[in-house]
Every structure is written in structure tokens, then in C-alpha cells.
Amino acid sequence: MSYFKVIAAIVKKDILMEVRTKQVINAALVFAVLFVVVFSFTMEIGSNMEQKLSGGIFWVSVAFAGILSFNKTIGSETDNGSFEALMLAPVDKSAVFFGKVISNMLFLFLVEVILIPLFLVFYNVNIIGHPLMAVVIILSTYAYSLIGTLFSIISVRTSSKEIMMPVLFLPFMVPVIIAAVLATNVFILGGQIQFSYNWIKLTAVFDIIFTAIIYGIFSLIIED
Amino acid sequence: MNVVLLRKLDKIFSILLFFIIPLGLYFAFIYAPVEKTMGLIQKIFYFHVSSAWVGFFAFFITFLFSILYLVTKKVEYDDLASASAETGLLFCTIVIVTGPLWARPTWGVYWTWDARLTSTLILWFIYVGYIMLRQFMEENQKRAQFSALLGIIGFINVPIVFLSIQWWENTIHPNVVQKGGGGMHEDMFTAMLMCLFMFTVIYIGLVIRKLRIINIERQINYLELE
Amino acid sequence: MENNSLQQTPLISLKQAVKRYGYMQALKKVDLDIYSGTSVTIFGPNGAGKSTLLKVLSMQCRLSSGELLYNGTPYKKISDDFRHKFGVISHQLYLYSSLSAFENLKFYGSLYGISNPEKKGEELLKQLDLYKRKDDLLRTFSRGMLQRVSIARALIHNPEIIFLDEPYTGLDSLAAQKLSTIIKQQIEENKTVIMVTHDIETGFFQADNLLIMDKGKIVYNRQKSSINIDDFRKEYMSVLGVEAAV
């Protein structure tokens, strides 16, 4: 069976399950929206701080929503041991992994799509003010999902996954968070667009390097 | 690794350190001249920089042996990778503690979000994750494989973290405090090298000690199981 | 059949197989040949290494040292496609509770790349008395029904080698009966069946070869044709010593 068909089968299954239960979206979305609302209390009204802070609030809330949703999606694989059955199937193990990455990425996109109008309503900030922002969102969300899926597979096997997941995930994602926030700020604050190029490149390099490494060694770290 | 050999090595390094540590301290505090503007506080520099170098070296060793472990699946390589990571974390902690101690009298603040110091802090968190993972899992092949993965991608992430923080620093604080340095007195340079040597030997000694502990723990577990 | 099998290459062959978990040795230099079309049952107390042996044979975990050969080819040279031949039934369900029985089967069918997962799925569900509830979500199913779906899942791609890890644990009588019918049927179709159990009754009747494992070693290996169940029970106890009898 071809590599991409395996990915497609996993994604299709995950979407079907999510449509049924809505557990990932519910958990992640409620959290992200709460984050955005509660954060507004830290800002002085009418001080224009919203403009400067929105990029940061957006990407940090997506990061935390991600931590929740990655743990949920991996939970559906480990509840009845189905992850083992996937590893037993006559398919490339890393294809199963990238299938989960794509599923997680789609769920995070959904969270982002709902958060963006919220920023417009609450903070009067248009996150997606420039077409290049789409590139930032795609590259950064992929980075979140790639590393998040990997670390969720690891932390689900530890005795306390709720602690392990953020401890592994957040420091590792520092470059991506910095890049995403500062690139977003360029667009929100109306700086010169070329200031965002370096950040986009940095995220792209991050994506390429870690996709290649994980593709190369996934089967080595997952086998018993 | 051989338990008897480890015990011998441990003893040799203990004796070596008995002589090398006073020697290093002599070079740092007596041999090297007192810096004119910063005064005595500058002495911390020898230990700060040496720990940084040895810390990075330790994580490089972890990276190397993590790869070797994944290729060969030999438990010894996992032991070495983890012993080195734990020791590296210790030196990383020294860097983070001595940094502010130096910064306060010199620059007037404890913490500066300087790229090197901040990257070291992030690095510290990444390897804290590595150590926590090992504590939250039972000793088995999975744990070794997962730690090896972290040892590899954590190290590869270092330059990316550093680059991103440096660019961030330039964006947020365009006027960075001018860092000290410039021309170093020749004797200071000698003292620096001596301290680096001392810290490297301490690192090797600690890794050997840790390997010994791992082996003893394994023996105890085995005896309990029998 | 035994005479034939002596000449042909074994389907699965273990040579000096060692599996270490940390400081513990789960398999200690195990040698074993399994021929195509035979039914092998591996008995033994808890912690004897039975499940590890089954995992090694089904390529779920790698050996620490020693060799594993399929039709004479080392397993490291065997492609992912070869796992097509494996079907695993264990006390783990390997199912998704928010999908229906039919959707579970279709998903696994598609992973195994079978041509007509719908038809095969329906066929199996009928055989297992689940057809009426094929579109219900699994979270509404009883344990026994879930076990039956799990059996269907393991057989959806028509595997040639069936691995059973304590399959009767926790089954209700209907599921147990269905399972034994299906195992018999698979044996009749000349499939290779490898089962791990500590229950002598269920393991004995279907087996051609009887194995006993203890402390990571195979301590007993003989053809069933030469022994009846009472004698085997006595031998099981004498091989394992007093603890097994208690």
C-alpha cells in the first residue's frame, strides 16, 4: 500500500472519529478561547497594547490548545491498544506517524480559524492581515503538530503524561514560537514585510530538518 | 561496561581530581591577575565559561551515543548517553547560576535576555525534559529509544534555538549591552585553559561515577528479581 | 504431515533467540521451528516468556540477539509487506470505540490494502453474529461482542499465520465458542495457528505441537499425536515443578 494512501486512511479515520465525538476540538477550543479572554484582563483598555501582544497571545494559546489536543488524539490510539495494531500492519511505520501529524494539524487549523475572528472581536486586531500570514500559519502549525505528535507518543507511555507533554514540548518549540510571533507582529504592526522573511525561513528550516530526521528514525524508536 | 573496570577508573579519577582541582583554583585565583575594571568578580568568568563549554560538550556526547544506541541497541551506549546528559545538566545549571552572579555587579541586573544565556536556559529545560522522561518510565528498551531520540533532536535544535533567540534579541532590544572581553591578559588565558581542563576532568570523573551507579542499581534490581 | 515437514524449510525458525528487557532476559537462547499449516500451542506460567515469544514471532519486537527466519530468510531482509500474512488476536482489542464495527473493519481492511473490505467485513460480521449491529458504535457493545469484533479485525485480510495471545481471557461463552469454531476452520484451511495460553483444555485440542515454556526457555516440545490430555497435564506439572500444580 502506498505511503500516501496510509496517511489518507489514518486522516480519514481520525476525522470521522472527531466528527462523532468532537472531543479534541471541544477541549482545545474551549481552552484557547478562555486563554484569549482571560488574557485581555492583563491589558489596559485603549492602550493599544492589543496590537503588540496579539501575535504572542495567538501563538501561545495555539501551543497550549495543541498540547491538549495532541494528548487527546494519541489517547484514542492507545485506549484499546490500536497503536500496536497499526504498527503490526504491513505499512511503513512512519506513514502512520505522519498520518497522525496531518490529523493533528487539521484540528489545530480549526482552532485557529475560530480564534482569528475572536481577535477581531475582542482585540480589534486582524491576525490574517497579509497573504503571507497564511504561509506563517501553515509552516508553524505543521511544526507544532510534528513535534507535538512525536512528544505525545512519548509522553503517553510515561507515568504522568500531563506533565511530560508540556515539559518536552514548550522548550523545544521556542524557536518556532519566537518565529511565528515575530512574523505575525510584522503583519499586525504594519512593519516592512521583508522583516518576516527570515522568520518564515527559520520555521521552514525547522520543519524540513525535523521531518527528515523523524522520517529517518521513527521506526527505530518505536519498535520494541 | 565492566563493573571492576569502572570501580578502578572511578578511583583513578578521584585521585586525579584531588590534585587537579586545587591546581585549577590556584590558576584562577592566584596565578591570574585581578581584572582592573570588574575586580574580583571577574574570576567567576573562568568557571562560567568552562562550565558552558563542558556542558555543551556533554550534550554532544549524549547526541553521539544516542545515535550509536539507536544503531546498535547496546545498553552501554544508553547508559553513557544518559550519564553524560545528567552531568551536562549540572554544568548547564552552573552556567545559569554564575551568569546572573556576574551580571548583577557588572551590568546592574541579574538576568539579561542575552542570546547566549537565554539559549542556555532553554537548553537546560530541554535536558530537564530528558531526565524527567527517564524518571517517569521504567527501565526498558522503549525508554532508551525515546531518550535517544530526545538526545538527538534536542542537540540538533540547539543552533536553531540560538539563532532564533539572537534574532529575537536584535528585534526586541536593538542595543545590547556591550559584552566584556576584548583583549585578554595572557595569564588570564592560561588560567582559563587550566579551568577548562579541570572542568573536563571533573566531567569525565562524574560520568564514570554515574555509570558505576547505574551498574550497581542494575545489579540490585537483578538480585531483587531473582 | 510430520514426515513432510521434516524436509521442507520451516515457515518460521528461531535460532538461539535472546530477548532482553533492560536487565531481564525474557527469552534465553530459544530454538524453535514452526512449519506451515501446523497448529502450535505454547503453554507456561505467567512470566515464562510466552507473550514475548509470540511478539518476536509476529515481528512486533526485535530480538536482542539470535536469528529469526521466515521461509529461510532473515527477518531483517523481509519487507513491511510480509506482515500481510500475520493476524493477531490478543486480549487487547485494537479497536476504536467511537467507530462502528463495520467502520473499524473497513479501516483495518484499507490499511492491509485488501480489494473489497466491505464484502469481507460483512462476511465476517455475519459469521460472528454481529451483522445486525454492524453500524452501531463500539462503545455501545458488551465486552463479549467487542471480542468478536476484534476477532473479525484480525482476520479481515485473510492472514496465513494466526497468532493468538491468551485469546480466551475474559470471553463470554458465545464469543469463546465462536472463536474456537473459527480457529478450527482456519486449521482446516491449512493456516498456521500459533497460540499462547496457560489454559490446558482450550490449548490442547486444537494443537499439533505442544510446547511448554518456563523462565524464558522452551522446556518441552512434542507432537500431540503421541499423548492424551491427562498425560499431558501430568507432564505439564512435572516439567514445571510444584508451583504449577498449586
Side-chain angles (χ1 to χ4, degrees):
Chain A
M1 196 180 179
S2 87
Y3 202 85
F4 292 102
K5 273 190 184 164
V6 178
I7 295 182
I10 304 263
V11 173
K12 207 177 121 193
K13 185 251 327 166
D14 280 344
I15 292 176
L16 186 61
M17 280 167 57
E18 184 55 24
V19 168
R20 291 266 160 74
T21 61
K22 296 171 194 70
Q23 57 164 357
V24 178
I25 278 302
N26 281 345
L29 201 62
V30 169
F31 184 86
V33 171
L34 261 176
F35 195 95
V36 171
V37 172
V38 170
F39 215 93
S40 66
F41 299 123
T42 66
M43 292 186 278
E44 218 177 301
I45 298 162
S47 64
N48 275 345
M49 259 161 114
E50 297 95 332
Q51 301 280 333
K52 285 184 181 159
L53 288 178
S54 282
I57 301 172
F58 180 78
W59 285 109
V60 173
S61 65
V62 172
F64 278 98
I67 290 174
L68 283 184
S69 70
F70 303 144
N71 269 343
K72 281 273 181 204
T73 46
I74 201 66
S76 69
E77 298 293 349
T78 47
D79 283 348
N80 284 319
S82 20
F83 198 76
E84 277 170 52
L86 296 182
M87 296 294 110
L88 198 67
V91 297
D92 194 315
K93 290 177 169 62
S94 69
V96 173
F97 173 78
F98 284 106
K100 295 304 289 180
V101 172
I102 304 292
S103 304
N104 277 326
M105 194 175 158
L106 293 179
F107 298 151
L108 271 196
F109 276 148
L110 198 60
V111 172
E112 288 161 357
V113 162
I114 297 171
L115 277 185
I116 288 169
L118 274 182
F119 274 83
L120 205 56
V121 172
F122 287 144
Y123 298 154
N124 195 26
V125 169
N126 186 7
I127 300 270
I128 193 126
H130 191 278
L132 257 186
M133 187 59 199
V135 179
V136 174
I137 290 187
I138 292 170
L139 291 178
S140 311
T141 310
Y142 176 75
Y144 277 21
S145 312
L146 179 74
I147 302 300
T149 308
L150 184 68
F151 287 167
S152 71
I153 292 173
I154 292 179
S155 36
V156 78
R157 284 168 209 255
T158 63
S159 50
S160 57
K161 65 174 177 193
E162 291 80 8
I163 300 173
M164 214 53 242
M165 181 66 197
V167 166
L168 291 177
F169 181 75
L170 290 174
F172 202 89
M173 294 310 286
V174 161
V176 176
I177 295 176
I178 292 179
V181 171
L182 293 191
T184 309
N185 279 350
V186 171
F187 303 131
I188 293 177
L189 301 173
Q192 279 178 305
I193 297 305
Q194 62 261 34
F195 285 137
S196 68
Y197 294 168
N198 268 348
W199 297 120
I200 294 176
K201 275 186 215 151
L202 186 94
T203 315
V205 167
F206 184 98
D207 287 347
I208 292 167
I209 289 180
F210 289 108
T211 304
I213 294 174
I214 296 170
Y215 175 79
I217 65 177
F218 187 73
S219 65
L220 285 177
I221 62 143
I222 207 66
E223 68 190 13
D224 267 304
Chain B
M1 224 189 264
N2 190 318
V3 183
V4 181
L5 178 69
L6 277 175
R7 195 168 61 211
K8 272 186 191 154
L9 281 175
D10 192 12
K11 204 171 252 172
I12 291 171
F13 272 88
S14 303
I15 296 169
L16 262 177
L17 282 171
F18 187 81
F19 295 105
I20 287 174
I21 290 179
L23 191 69
L25 292 178
Y26 166 77
F27 270 89
F29 285 105
I30 300 169
Y31 180 81
V34 176
E35 219 263 353
K36 277 185 198 120
T37 43
M38 280 184 267
L40 271 179
I41 191 68
Q42 182 268 346
K43 301 272 182 207
I44 214 168
F45 164 86
Y46 302 117
F47 305 97
H48 179 76
V49 176
S50 306
S51 332
W53 283 10
V54 174
F56 283 118
F57 177 70
F59 295 144
F60 173 69
I61 295 293
T62 301
F63 169 70
L64 214 61
F65 280 92
S66 297
I67 297 175
L68 278 175
Y69 174 77
L70 279 191
V71 176
T72 63
K73 297 282 158 80
K74 283 205 171 98
V75 185
E76 290 81 3
Y77 293 152
D78 175 52
D79 292 348
L80 232 165
S82 74
S84 186
E86 204 166 297
T87 316
L89 192 65
L90 173 74
F91 287 105
C92 215
T93 312
I94 296 177
V95 175
I96 291 170
V97 173
T98 51
L101 285 182
W102 185 24
R104 175 69 187 165
T106 318
W107 297 333
V109 285
Y110 283 110
W111 188 265
T112 61
W113 292 95
D114 143 81
R116 269 178 284 184
L117 200 53
T118 312
S119 307
T120 310
L121 181 66
I122 300 302
L123 198 62
W124 186 83
F125 275 117
I126 291 177
Y127 285 90
V128 163
Y130 179 100
I131 303 291
M132 268 174 81
L133 176 78
R134 294 184 73 89
Q135 275 169 0
F136 284 150
M137 282 183 88
E138 272 174 48
E139 178 176 358
N140 58 28
Q141 199 183 319
K142 266 276 138 60
R143 184 180 85 167
Q145 286 166 198
F146 287 168
S147 338
L149 172 86
L150 285 183
I152 292 169
I153 63 174
F155 190 76
I156 289 173
N157 205 12
V158 172
I160 307 178
V161 169
F162 181 75
L163 196 66
S164 68
I165 292 178
Q166 200 174 32
W167 288 354
W168 164 78
E169 190 194 14
N170 292 338
T171 318
I172 305 281
H173 320 283
N175 305 312
V176 195
V177 185
Q178 196 57 46
K179 301 203 176 67
M184 201 198 283
H185 191 283
E186 207 175 292
D187 290 343
M188 287 183 177
F189 190 70
T190 313
M192 177 69 241
L193 285 183
M194 280 313 292
C195 276
L196 185 60
F197 173 65
M198 169 178 84
F199 270 73
T200 311
V201 181
I202 295 177
Y203 160 74
I204 299 172
L206 285 175
V207 168
I208 288 168
R209 176 72 55 90
K210 180 67 192 170
L211 284 177
R212 227 186 121 193
I213 293 172
I214 293 173
N215 273 288
I216 292 170
E217 277 173 350
R218 192 165 288 148
Q219 275 179 331
I220 292 172
N221 280 331
Y222 187 73
L223 288 176
E224 277 174 357
L225 212 74
E226 282 298 279
Chain C
M1 194 167 75
E2 283 76 48
N3 294 335
N4 282 340
S5 56
L6 285 177
Q7 286 135 26
Q8 70 192 68
T9 327
L11 175 64
I12 308 177
S13 174
L14 269 184
K15 290 189 168 52
Q16 297 286 296
V18 174
K19 177 68 190 176
R20 260 183 245 107
Y21 287 113
Y23 43 84
M24 200 188 73
Q25 276 201 345
L27 296 181
K28 297 171 187 166
K29 298 201 171 177
V30 172
D31 290 298
L32 176 65
D33 287 334
I34 293 170
Y35 292 92
S36 178
T38 52
S39 167
V40 180
T41 304
I42 305 159
F43 300 94
N46 288 338
K50 294 171 296 182
S51 292
T52 307
L53 180 63
L54 204 74
K55 280 192 164 175
V56 165
L57 295 176
S58 56
M59 284 207 267
Q60 280 174 286
C61 70
R62 297 202 168 209
L63 287 175
S64 306
S65 69
E67 269 192 283
L68 169 63
L69 307 165
Y70 294 96
N71 295 320
T73 315
Y75 78 104
K76 280 179 185 160
K77 290 186 184 155
I78 279 176
S79 72
D80 286 331
D81 275 342
F82 193 81
R83 289 203 297 267
H84 216 283
K85 295 185 196 294
F86 300 160
V88 176
I89 301 176
S90 87
H91 44 272
Q92 284 266 41
L93 293 169
Y94 301 151
L95 297 169
Y96 298 98
S97 54
S98 49
L99 297 181
S100 73
F102 196 50
E103 284 162 349
N104 266 290
L105 295 187
K106 271 199 296 190
F107 170 66
Y108 280 106
S110 70
L111 272 191
Y112 281 86
I114 64 170
S115 51
N116 199 346
E118 280 87 1
K119 186 165 159 278
K120 181 73 184 167
E122 284 182 12
E123 205 175 282
L124 278 165
L125 288 175
K126 273 180 193 152
Q127 201 182 348
L128 288 156
D129 267 351
L130 288 164
Y131 189 70
K132 268 184 233 157
R133 300 204 49 186
K134 75 184 174 77
D135 292 322
D136 293 350
L137 298 193
L138 288 195
R139 72 164 81 93
T140 65
F141 279 31
S142 70
R143 178 81 193 166
M145 289 162 74
L146 288 172
Q147 300 267 13
R148 279 183 277 151
V149 181
S150 186
I151 295 167
R153 176 204 56 79
L155 301 176
I156 183 87
H157 56 290
N158 209 8
E160 283 171 38
I161 311 169
I162 296 150
F163 297 95
L164 302 123
D165 187 1
E166 303 279 2
Y168 289 97
T169 309
L171 286 201
D172 58 13
S173 57
L174 177 65
Q177 182 210 329
K178 289 280 171 198
L179 178 62
S180 67
T181 319
I182 279 182
I183 294 174
K184 265 183 213 134
Q185 186 192 336
Q186 299 290 328
I187 292 171
E188 275 161 24
E189 287 173 18
N190 226 12
K191 303 283 178 60
T192 310
V193 175
I194 303 168
M195 178 159 126
V196 153
T197 184
H198 54 246
D199 181 14
I200 292 178
E201 299 279 328
T202 50
F204 184 82
F205 289 103
Q206 64 179 64
D208 299 322
N209 279 43
L210 302 166
L211 265 66
I212 299 175
M213 279 193 84
D214 189 29
K215 294 184 182 129
K217 288 184 183 142
I218 295 177
V219 289
Y220 180 96
N221 183 356
R222 68 186 283 183
Q223 313 268 271
K224 187 179 73 174
S225 43
S226 57
I227 192 167
N228 69 34
I229 186 161
D230 291 323
D231 289 341
F232 179 70
R233 202 173 268 134
K234 274 177 208 149
E235 292 202 6
Y236 182 78
M237 285 172 189
S238 73
V239 166
L240 294 181
V242 195
E243 330 94 278
V246 182

